Amino acid sequence: MTLVHGQLLVLTASVFVGLAFTRLRPVMLFSAVGLALVLLGQLEVERLLQLAANPAVISLLLLILVSAGMEKTRLLSWLSLKLFRGGYLATLARTSIGAMVSSAFLNNTAVVAALMGRIRSHRDQPPSRLLLPLSYAAILGGTLTLVGTSTNLIVNSFLVELGQPPLALFDFLPVGLVACGVGFVVLLLVSPTLPIHSVEEETPDSYFIDAKIEPNSPLIGRSVEANGLRSLERLYLAEVVRGEQLISPVTPQTELQAGDKLVFCGDVRAVGLLERFKGLTLFAHSSGELQRNLTEVVVSPTSTVIGQTLKSSDFRARFGAAVVAMRRRGQVLSGKLGQIPLQAGDLLVLSCADPKGLTAQARHFVVVGDAELSPNLSLWQELMTVAGFVTALGLSAAGMLDLAASLGLLLLVMLSFGVLNASEVRSRFPFEIWMIITGALAMADSLAQSGLATLASNWLHQLFNGEGVWVAYVGVFFISLLLTELMTNNAAAALALPLALGLASAFGVSALPFVMAVAYGASASFISPFSYQTHLMVMSLGNYRKRDFVKMGLPLSLAYSASVLWAIPYVFPF
């Protein structure tokens, strides 16, 4: 083993440890890998730029931008209206099938975002019995086509870069139908065992509400009990933040001082009770308009405010809204509201003059409150958008036009006819995904060019040789599955695919079964709530705990794994 091999092993191990065991964002890790490879002289800058302009990567970026236009149509809203009728199992079946079909062609996050608000407001069925199955159904539907999930497009980008024939739009369909069929049955059998949480049901520490005692407040110098702050209906004074000191628990005799931050927990709808106390200012106080325009949103996994606090992100000025309260499933929030780093899936209650203005912030928030965000496209714009999307995919499926070219043309049409504008394209451009894929391609390219991937594959070939190619194939699948549960689906595919291609070469068999094992293994994000972005979106909204994901995700993962491992070799023989 050479010095170059040692450097690459350290980089690969660092990425794995960083993704699996730290809170470092994948974009930071993969960007650092790309830069490190250039600085170490293992990758030329020109080569890095070539990898960034990989046709399959460009297709993925264009698909995400085009999906932003599709999200503005009434297609998903119309679908959601057709789903929620009848009994629980009928509603679950329609929701699951609708999510699967939609996710085969549209962005999974957009599909879940469009349906979860309807589920939350649907009073006939408990939301907690539908939201998690919705997330699973969206994942399963993404396995049906090349454009169904970014994982499939990333796998395709690796193949293109290695000189392999690119995958077609419906190459994934036969195996995907098997996976969806088996997964659908498991959803119908296991979903009724999920806990029932009504929309009103909240834990005592559900919402985190911050208020400050002003210098002229009559509350100063008096105890909590004397001020009447111990007997508030549906609100509980959990702690007092005094400078750098945190007072918790708060006793009835605790004397209040000017500048104290009072942290209340409970029902955000009772926040108006705090306005009766003179000199007590809420974090989101805005000229008496606090209760008139309260809107509940979920922080999207694609938001750039993740990891930032409300203060450091300049939240109020940036989004024209103030945060009244925050809730995070499975974690008790503490300290000052403005100093808590935001995470994907956080529930925020916003006070804003125009709730419909939040529709322009789809990259950052998913609205789940009562505000109805109507589409702003005319009928002919919607028809043109849907027809253009179907045509673009049809031309690609028929081999008449490259996918990147057809999507690029559709994006130009959308811009020309006002479906999207330049600022929307800038705000929705998936820069982080681009950096992650480019860094992953750079790492895979260096592993291949240095011969390290071949060495690893030969070693695994010797290890598996006595058992045959099937053991290697199954091993690649479960390596991909384990990686996706520990980190993310895209990172799992990026790390596992070079190994899979090397093993196929070492055994002298077709690479496609191994490639598909990586694609389907990396899409098996069922057990960990942190393994897929739609899980984070429904976790707080459905009041789920980690054990709920294990209870439902484990049987789904086992059934899914067995079905795709059986189906792949029949569709893509060794």
Side-chain angles (χ1 to χ4, degrees), residues 33-34 37 43 48 51 158 437-447:
V33 165
L37 290 171
L43 193 70
L48 184 63
L51 295 171
F158 273 84
I437 298 174
T438 301
L441 286 172
M443 186 167 64
D445 187 73
S446 298
L447 289 171

Side-chain angles (χ1 to χ4, degrees), residues 198-211:
S198 67
V199 175
E200 291 79 12
E201 181 184 307
E202 306 288 356
T203 57
D205 61 339
S206 55
Y207 275 103
F208 180 99
I209 304 166
D210 188 343

Side-chain angles (χ1 to χ4, degrees), residues 323-409:
V323 177
V324 177
M326 180 188 301
R327 177 179 167 219
R328 181 175 300 161
R329 175 68 248 169
Q331 185 173 340
V332 178
L333 300 175
S334 179
K336 301 177 182 178
L337 183 59
Q339 296 179 0
I340 298 175
L342 295 171
Q343 295 182 11
D346 282 350
L347 272 171
L348 306 179
V349 177
L350 304 183
S351 173
C352 50
D354 180 20
K356 291 187 177 183
L358 292 172
T359 190
Q361 308 294 344
R363 179 182 180 182
H364 303 283
F365 310 116
V366 178
V367 178
V368 294
D370 296 329
E372 184 68 28
L373 304 181
S374 57
N376 57 1
L377 298 182
S378 64
L379 179 60
W380 74 268
Q381 283 177 315
E382 291 195 31
L383 292 175
M384 182 204 66
T385 299
V386 175
F389 187 72
V390 172
T391 302
L393 294 183
L395 290 173
S396 174
M400 300 174 63
L401 195 62
D402 181 76
L403 181 60
S406 61
L407 291 175
L409 181 60

Side-chain angles (χ1 to χ4, degrees), residues 33-64:
V33 165
L35 180 60
L37 290 171
V38 171
L39 293 177
L40 291 171
Q42 298 184 21
L43 193 70
E44 297 292 334
V45 175
E46 292 78 7
R47 179 58 178 161
L48 184 63
L49 294 176
Q50 289 176 0
L51 295 171
N54 179 294
V57 175
I58 300 302
S59 297
L60 172 58
L61 302 181
L62 290 171
L63 180 66
I64 292 173

Side-chain angles (χ1 to χ4, degrees), residues 39 43 58 64 105 168 171 220 335 378 412 420 458 513 540 553:
L39 293 177
L43 193 70
I58 300 302
I64 292 173
F105 302 100
D171 279 351
I220 297 172
S378 64
L412 287 176
L420 293 172
N458 288 336
S540 291

